[in-house]
Amino acid sequence: MLDSGALFTAGERAHCRSRPDPWASLAGLFSAKEAFVKALSSLIGAPDHTFPEVEVVHGPAGQPRIRLHGAIARWQRQQCLAMEVSISHTGDMAGAVVVLLAEPTRRGGQAP
């Protein structure tokens, strides 16, 4: 199992170790991080970040979510961006899609 903090957080590594095929799970998480970076590249002004600052977490039903840390998280909140991610892996292949969504800015509880 890969233990390098250069790509994955401790939580991501622990999650993958708990899965039936840890390597496939790691490949799926890497695909999601790469898809996020590619989606982000279409936006102007995003700060530099590292892969551990882009963390893939899982909801109660196992659904993947992206949790950002550091400067990229602050930027994402300032930009009012929501993120959706889908991960798929089978055999020795993995892929992911990330969609960045602009949330309406709220002023006084109302969308403009």
Side-chain angles (χ1 to χ4, degrees):
M1 174 64 50
L2 180 66
D3 247 356
S4 171
L7 297 175
F8 302 103
T9 66
E12 289 170 326
R13 292 190 307 271
H15 170 79
C16 290
R17 281 188 200 101
S18 75
R19 307 301 299 156
D21 187 349
W23 291 107
S25 294
L26 282 170
L29 296 188
F30 182 82
S31 294
K33 290 172 181 250
E34 183 67 17
F36 172 79
V37 169
K38 292 206 174 166
L40 193 65
S41 72
S42 67
L43 301 178
I44 297 170
D48 291 339
H49 55 279
T50 63
F51 266 11
E53 291 173 304
V54 179
E55 182 179 21
V56 180
V57 297
H58 295 83
Q63 69 274 33
R65 297 284 181 243
I66 292 179
R67 179 185 298 153
L68 301 177
H69 303 279
I72 191 71
R74 288 187 296 278
W75 182 84
Q76 177 255 333
R77 286 190 300 272
Q78 290 169 347
Q79 300 302 310
C80 299
L81 291 176
M83 299 165 287
E84 294 294 334
V85 60
S86 177
I87 302 172
S88 181
H89 49 77
T90 182
D92 61 352
M93 295 176 54
V97 173
V98 170
V99 177
L100 302 178
L101 304 162
E103 294 179 338
T105 302
R106 303 235 177 235
R107 293 191 185 113
Q110 299 288 326

PDB file of all heavy atoms in Angstrom, residues 1-4 8-22 25-26 29 55-56 58:
ATOM      1  N   MET A   1       0.847  -1.175   0.000  1.00  0.00           N
ATOM      2  CA  MET A   1       0.000   0.000   0.000  1.00  0.00           C
ATOM      3  C   MET A   1       0.889   1.232   0.000  1.00  0.00           C
ATOM      4  O   MET A   1       1.826   1.331   0.765  1.00  0.00           O
ATOM      5  CB  MET A   1      -0.897  -0.059   1.237  1.00  0.00           C
ATOM      6  CG  MET A   1      -1.754   1.141   1.481  1.00  0.00           C
ATOM      7  SD  MET A   1      -3.030   1.544   0.285  1.00  0.00           S
ATOM      8  CE  MET A   1      -3.860   0.023   0.079  1.00  0.00           C
ATOM      9  N   LEU A   2       0.532   2.174  -0.809  1.00  0.00           N
ATOM     10  CA  LEU A   2       1.259   3.444  -0.879  1.00  0.00           C
ATOM     11  C   LEU A   2       1.030   4.229   0.398  1.00  0.00           C
ATOM     12  O   LEU A   2      -0.093   4.431   0.825  1.00  0.00           O
ATOM     13  CB  LEU A   2       0.757   4.244  -2.086  1.00  0.00           C
ATOM     14  CG  LEU A   2       1.383   5.594  -2.327  1.00  0.00           C
ATOM     15  CD1 LEU A   2       2.850   5.426  -2.689  1.00  0.00           C
ATOM     16  CD2 LEU A   2       0.655   6.312  -3.435  1.00  0.00           C
ATOM     17  N   ASP A   3       2.104   4.663   1.037  1.00  0.00           N
ATOM     18  CA  ASP A   3       1.984   5.431   2.271  1.00  0.00           C
ATOM     19  C   ASP A   3       2.444   6.873   2.096  1.00  0.00           C
ATOM     20  O   ASP A   3       2.600   7.588   3.064  1.00  0.00           O
ATOM     21  CB  ASP A   3       2.801   4.766   3.379  1.00  0.00           C
ATOM     22  CG  ASP A   3       1.901   4.211   4.459  1.00  0.00           C
ATOM     23  OD1 ASP A   3       0.686   4.405   4.371  1.00  0.00           O
ATOM     24  OD2 ASP A   3       2.426   3.578   5.382  1.00  0.00           O
ATOM     25  N   SER A   4       2.686   7.297   0.898  1.00  0.00           N
ATOM     26  CA  SER A   4       3.207   8.640   0.655  1.00  0.00           C
ATOM     27  C   SER A   4       2.133   9.689   0.880  1.00  0.00           C
ATOM     28  O   SER A   4       1.020   9.596   0.366  1.00  0.00           O
ATOM     29  CB  SER A   4       3.733   8.734  -0.772  1.00  0.00           C
ATOM     30  OG  SER A   4       4.037  10.068  -1.082  1.00  0.00           O
ATOM     31  N   PHE A   8      -1.939  11.448  -1.212  1.00  0.00           N
ATOM     32  CA  PHE A   8      -3.156  11.107  -0.479  1.00  0.00           C
ATOM     33  C   PHE A   8      -3.051  11.509   0.984  1.00  0.00           C
ATOM     34  O   PHE A   8      -1.980  11.468   1.582  1.00  0.00           O
ATOM     35  CB  PHE A   8      -3.415   9.596  -0.569  1.00  0.00           C
ATOM     36  CG  PHE A   8      -3.540   9.096  -1.969  1.00  0.00           C
ATOM     37  CD1 PHE A   8      -2.504   8.419  -2.572  1.00  0.00           C
ATOM     38  CD2 PHE A   8      -4.698   9.327  -2.705  1.00  0.00           C
ATOM     39  CE1 PHE A   8      -2.611   7.960  -3.875  1.00  0.00           C
ATOM     40  CE2 PHE A   8      -4.810   8.878  -4.000  1.00  0.00           C
ATOM     41  CZ  PHE A   8      -3.771   8.193  -4.597  1.00  0.00           C
ATOM     42  N   THR A   9      -4.201  11.869   1.567  1.00  0.00           N
ATOM     43  CA  THR A   9      -4.247  12.180   2.991  1.00  0.00           C
ATOM     44  C   THR A   9      -4.266  10.872   3.781  1.00  0.00           C
ATOM     45  O   THR A   9      -4.540   9.796   3.231  1.00  0.00           O
ATOM     46  CB  THR A   9      -5.506  12.986   3.344  1.00  0.00           C
ATOM     47  OG1 THR A   9      -6.660  12.161   3.126  1.00  0.00           O
ATOM     48  CG2 THR A   9      -5.607  14.264   2.517  1.00  0.00           C
ATOM     49  N   ALA A  10      -4.033  10.979   5.077  1.00  0.00           N
ATOM     50  CA  ALA A  10      -4.090   9.797   5.948  1.00  0.00           C
ATOM     51  C   ALA A  10      -5.486   9.171   5.887  1.00  0.00           C
ATOM     52  O   ALA A  10      -5.625   7.942   5.861  1.00  0.00           O
ATOM     53  CB  ALA A  10      -3.725  10.179   7.375  1.00  0.00           C
ATOM     54  N   GLY A  11      -6.515  10.007   5.856  1.00  0.00           N
ATOM     55  CA  GLY A  11      -7.886   9.497   5.764  1.00  0.00           C
ATOM     56  C   GLY A  11      -8.143   8.743   4.469  1.00  0.00           C
ATOM     57  O   GLY A  11      -8.820   7.716   4.468  1.00  0.00           O
ATOM     58  N   GLU A  12      -7.618   9.251   3.366  1.00  0.00           N
ATOM     59  CA  GLU A  12      -7.792   8.565   2.078  1.00  0.00           C
ATOM     60  C   GLU A  12      -7.076   7.220   2.086  1.00  0.00           C
ATOM     61  O   GLU A  12      -7.630   6.215   1.623  1.00  0.00           O
ATOM     62  CB  GLU A  12      -7.258   9.435   0.937  1.00  0.00           C
ATOM     63  CG  GLU A  12      -8.125  10.646   0.656  1.00  0.00           C
ATOM     64  CD  GLU A  12      -7.480  11.629  -0.294  1.00  0.00           C
ATOM     65  OE1 GLU A  12      -6.230  11.794  -0.270  1.00  0.00           O
ATOM     66  OE2 GLU A  12      -8.226  12.267  -1.054  1.00  0.00           O
ATOM     67  N   ARG A  13      -5.854   7.187   2.621  1.00  0.00           N
ATOM     68  CA  ARG A  13      -5.116   5.923   2.669  1.00  0.00           C
ATOM     69  C   ARG A  13      -5.843   4.916   3.555  1.00  0.00           C
ATOM     70  O   ARG A  13      -5.965   3.743   3.200  1.00  0.00           O
ATOM     71  CB  ARG A  13      -3.683   6.169   3.136  1.00  0.00           C
ATOM     72  CG  ARG A  13      -2.861   6.953   2.103  1.00  0.00           C
ATOM     73  CD  ARG A  13      -1.375   7.010   2.428  1.00  0.00           C
ATOM     74  NE  ARG A  13      -1.047   7.486   3.759  1.00  0.00           N
ATOM     75  CZ  ARG A  13      -0.853   8.761   4.091  1.00  0.00           C
ATOM     76  NH1 ARG A  13      -0.951   9.710   3.168  1.00  0.00           N
ATOM     77  NH2 ARG A  13      -0.545   9.096   5.323  1.00  0.00           N
ATOM     78  N   ALA A  14      -6.368   5.383   4.695  1.00  0.00           N
ATOM     79  CA  ALA A  14      -7.113   4.486   5.592  1.00  0.00           C
ATOM     80  C   ALA A  14      -8.365   3.949   4.901  1.00  0.00           C
ATOM     81  O   ALA A  14      -8.681   2.754   5.012  1.00  0.00           O
ATOM     82  CB  ALA A  14      -7.471   5.215   6.884  1.00  0.00           C
ATOM     83  N   HIS A  15      -9.076   4.822   4.205  1.00  0.00           N
ATOM     84  CA  HIS A  15     -10.277   4.385   3.486  1.00  0.00           C
ATOM     85  C   HIS A  15      -9.925   3.297   2.475  1.00  0.00           C
ATOM     86  O   HIS A  15     -10.602   2.265   2.400  1.00  0.00           O
ATOM     87  CB  HIS A  15     -10.943   5.569   2.776  1.00  0.00           C
ATOM     88  CG  HIS A  15     -12.033   5.161   1.849  1.00  0.00           C
ATOM     89  ND1 HIS A  15     -13.299   4.836   2.284  1.00  0.00           N
ATOM     90  CD2 HIS A  15     -12.052   4.983   0.503  1.00  0.00           C
ATOM     91  CE1 HIS A  15     -14.039   4.479   1.248  1.00  0.00           C
ATOM     92  NE2 HIS A  15     -13.305   4.575   0.155  1.00  0.00           N
ATOM     93  N   CYS A  16      -8.882   3.522   1.701  1.00  0.00           N
ATOM     94  CA  CYS A  16      -8.507   2.554   0.668  1.00  0.00           C
ATOM     95  C   CYS A  16      -8.060   1.222   1.275  1.00  0.00           C
ATOM     96  O   CYS A  16      -8.352   0.161   0.726  1.00  0.00           O
ATOM     97  CB  CYS A  16      -7.427   3.130  -0.241  1.00  0.00           C
ATOM     98  SG  CYS A  16      -8.070   4.462  -1.288  1.00  0.00           S
ATOM     99  N   ARG A  17      -7.356   1.278   2.396  1.00  0.00           N
ATOM    100  CA  ARG A  17      -6.934   0.033   3.064  1.00  0.00           C
ATOM    101  C   ARG A  17      -8.128  -0.800   3.510  1.00  0.00           C
ATOM    102  O   ARG A  17      -8.031  -2.014   3.598  1.00  0.00           O
ATOM    103  CB  ARG A  17      -6.065   0.346   4.279  1.00  0.00           C
ATOM    104  CG  ARG A  17      -4.657   0.689   3.945  1.00  0.00           C
ATOM    105  CD  ARG A  17      -3.817   0.782   5.234  1.00  0.00           C
ATOM    106  NE  ARG A  17      -2.629   1.539   4.968  1.00  0.00           N
ATOM    107  CZ  ARG A  17      -2.427   2.814   5.273  1.00  0.00           C
ATOM    108  NH1 ARG A  17      -3.352   3.497   5.920  1.00  0.00           N
ATOM    109  NH2 ARG A  17      -1.311   3.420   4.959  1.00  0.00           N
ATOM    110  N   SER A  18      -9.263  -0.134   3.778  1.00  0.00           N
ATOM    111  CA  SER A  18     -10.449  -0.840   4.258  1.00  0.00           C
ATOM    112  C   SER A  18     -11.264  -1.459   3.124  1.00  0.00           C
ATOM    113  O   SER A  18     -12.213  -2.194   3.377  1.00  0.00           O
ATOM    114  CB  SER A  18     -11.340   0.105   5.064  1.00  0.00           C
ATOM    115  OG  SER A  18     -12.032   1.005   4.200  1.00  0.00           O
ATOM    116  N   ARG A  19     -10.925  -1.173   1.902  1.00  0.00           N
ATOM    117  CA  ARG A  19     -11.690  -1.639   0.740  1.00  0.00           C
ATOM    118  C   ARG A  19     -11.195  -3.001   0.279  1.00  0.00           C
ATOM    119  O   ARG A  19     -10.036  -3.354   0.491  1.00  0.00           O
ATOM    120  CB  ARG A  19     -11.576  -0.624  -0.407  1.00  0.00           C
ATOM    121  CG  ARG A  19     -11.933   0.814  -0.034  1.00  0.00           C
ATOM    122  CD  ARG A  19     -13.330   0.999   0.495  1.00  0.00           C
ATOM    123  NE  ARG A  19     -14.288   0.597  -0.510  1.00  0.00           N
ATOM    124  CZ  ARG A  19     -15.526   0.213  -0.258  1.00  0.00           C
ATOM    125  NH1 ARG A  19     -15.971   0.181   0.971  1.00  0.00           N
ATOM    126  NH2 ARG A  19     -16.322  -0.134  -1.226  1.00  0.00           N
ATOM    127  N   PRO A  20     -12.042  -3.769  -0.403  1.00  0.00           N
ATOM    128  CA  PRO A  20     -11.618  -5.092  -0.887  1.00  0.00           C
ATOM    129  C   PRO A  20     -10.433  -5.042  -1.848  1.00  0.00           C
ATOM    130  O   PRO A  20      -9.595  -5.936  -1.844  1.00  0.00           O
ATOM    131  CB  PRO A  20     -12.865  -5.635  -1.599  1.00  0.00           C
ATOM    132  CG  PRO A  20     -14.010  -4.861  -1.032  1.00  0.00           C
ATOM    133  CD  PRO A  20     -13.456  -3.513  -0.641  1.00  0.00           C
ATOM    134  N   ASP A  21     -10.375  -4.007  -2.685  1.00  0.00           N
ATOM    135  CA  ASP A  21      -9.257  -3.842  -3.625  1.00  0.00           C
ATOM    136  C   ASP A  21      -8.647  -2.453  -3.402  1.00  0.00           C
ATOM    137  O   ASP A  21      -9.028  -1.489  -4.060  1.00  0.00           O
ATOM    138  CB  ASP A  21      -9.746  -4.000  -5.068  1.00  0.00           C
ATOM    139  CG  ASP A  21      -8.604  -3.998  -6.073  1.00  0.00           C
ATOM    140  OD1 ASP A  21      -7.454  -3.663  -5.699  1.00  0.00           O
ATOM    141  OD2 ASP A  21      -8.858  -4.329  -7.241  1.00  0.00           O
ATOM    142  N   PRO A  22      -7.697  -2.344  -2.453  1.00  0.00           N
ATOM    143  CA  PRO A  22      -7.141  -1.030  -2.122  1.00  0.00           C
ATOM    144  C   PRO A  22      -6.528  -0.297  -3.303  1.00  0.00           C
ATOM    145  O   PRO A  22      -6.651   0.926  -3.411  1.00  0.00           O
ATOM    146  CB  PRO A  22      -6.070  -1.346  -1.079  1.00  0.00           C
ATOM    147  CG  PRO A  22      -6.459  -2.662  -0.512  1.00  0.00           C
ATOM    148  CD  PRO A  22      -7.145  -3.394  -1.622  1.00  0.00           C
ATOM    149  N   SER A  25      -9.159   1.333  -5.384  1.00  0.00           N
ATOM    150  CA  SER A  25      -9.687   2.504  -4.683  1.00  0.00           C
ATOM    151  C   SER A  25      -8.722   3.679  -4.774  1.00  0.00           C
ATOM    152  O   SER A  25      -9.143   4.821  -4.990  1.00  0.00           O
ATOM    153  CB  SER A  25      -9.969   2.162  -3.218  1.00  0.00           C
ATOM    154  OG  SER A  25     -11.024   1.224  -3.149  1.00  0.00           O
ATOM    155  N   LEU A  26      -7.419   3.429  -4.605  1.00  0.00           N
ATOM    156  CA  LEU A  26      -6.427   4.494  -4.761  1.00  0.00           C
ATOM    157  C   LEU A  26      -6.469   5.074  -6.168  1.00  0.00           C
ATOM    158  O   LEU A  26      -6.393   6.291  -6.348  1.00  0.00           O
ATOM    159  CB  LEU A  26      -5.023   3.977  -4.452  1.00  0.00           C
ATOM    160  CG  LEU A  26      -4.661   3.826  -2.987  1.00  0.00           C
ATOM    161  CD1 LEU A  26      -3.342   3.066  -2.837  1.00  0.00           C
ATOM    162  CD2 LEU A  26      -4.577   5.172  -2.295  1.00  0.00           C
ATOM    163  N   LEU A  29      -9.450   7.376  -6.421  1.00  0.00           N
ATOM    164  CA  LEU A  29      -9.223   8.660  -5.747  1.00  0.00           C
ATOM    165  C   LEU A  29      -8.272   9.544  -6.549  1.00  0.00           C
ATOM    166  O   LEU A  29      -8.488  10.750  -6.673  1.00  0.00           O
ATOM    167  CB  LEU A  29      -8.671   8.445  -4.342  1.00  0.00           C
ATOM    168  CG  LEU A  29      -9.571   7.723  -3.340  1.00  0.00           C
ATOM    169  CD1 LEU A  29      -8.951   7.757  -1.954  1.00  0.00           C
ATOM    170  CD2 LEU A  29     -10.970   8.280  -3.311  1.00  0.00           C
ATOM    171  N   GLU A  55      -8.984  16.562  -1.035  1.00  0.00           N
ATOM    172  CA  GLU A  55      -9.242  15.280  -0.368  1.00  0.00           C
ATOM    173  C   GLU A  55     -10.571  14.704  -0.832  1.00  0.00           C
ATOM    174  O   GLU A  55     -11.571  15.418  -0.908  1.00  0.00           O
ATOM    175  CB  GLU A  55      -9.264  15.483   1.144  1.00  0.00           C
ATOM    176  CG  GLU A  55      -9.482  14.218   1.917  1.00  0.00           C
ATOM    177  CD  GLU A  55      -9.467  14.440   3.417  1.00  0.00           C
ATOM    178  OE1 GLU A  55      -9.674  15.585   3.871  1.00  0.00           O
ATOM    179  OE2 GLU A  55      -9.235  13.458   4.141  1.00  0.00           O
ATOM    180  N   VAL A  56     -10.582  13.416  -1.122  1.00  0.00           N
ATOM    181  CA  VAL A  56     -11.823  12.728  -1.463  1.00  0.00           C
ATOM    182  C   VAL A  56     -12.320  12.041  -0.194  1.00  0.00           C
ATOM    183  O   VAL A  56     -11.610  11.219   0.392  1.00  0.00           O
ATOM    184  CB  VAL A  56     -11.620  11.706  -2.599  1.00  0.00           C
ATOM    185  CG1 VAL A  56     -12.941  11.014  -2.931  1.00  0.00           C
ATOM    186  CG2 VAL A  56     -11.052  12.387  -3.845  1.00  0.00           C
ATOM    187  N   HIS A  58     -16.038  10.392   1.838  1.00  0.00           N
ATOM    188  CA  HIS A  58     -17.225   9.634   1.457  1.00  0.00           C
ATOM    189  C   HIS A  58     -18.365   9.909   2.426  1.00  0.00           C
ATOM    190  O   HIS A  58     -18.157   9.943   3.637  1.00  0.00           O
ATOM    191  CB  HIS A  58     -16.897   8.144   1.398  1.00  0.00           C
ATOM    192  CG  HIS A  58     -15.916   7.833   0.325  1.00  0.00           C
ATOM    193  ND1 HIS A  58     -14.562   7.975   0.496  1.00  0.00           N
ATOM    194  CD2 HIS A  58     -16.089   7.448  -0.955  1.00  0.00           C
ATOM    195  CE1 HIS A  58     -13.938   7.671  -0.616  1.00  0.00           C
ATOM    196  NE2 HIS A  58     -14.846   7.351  -1.518  1.00  0.00           N
TER     197      HIS A  58
END
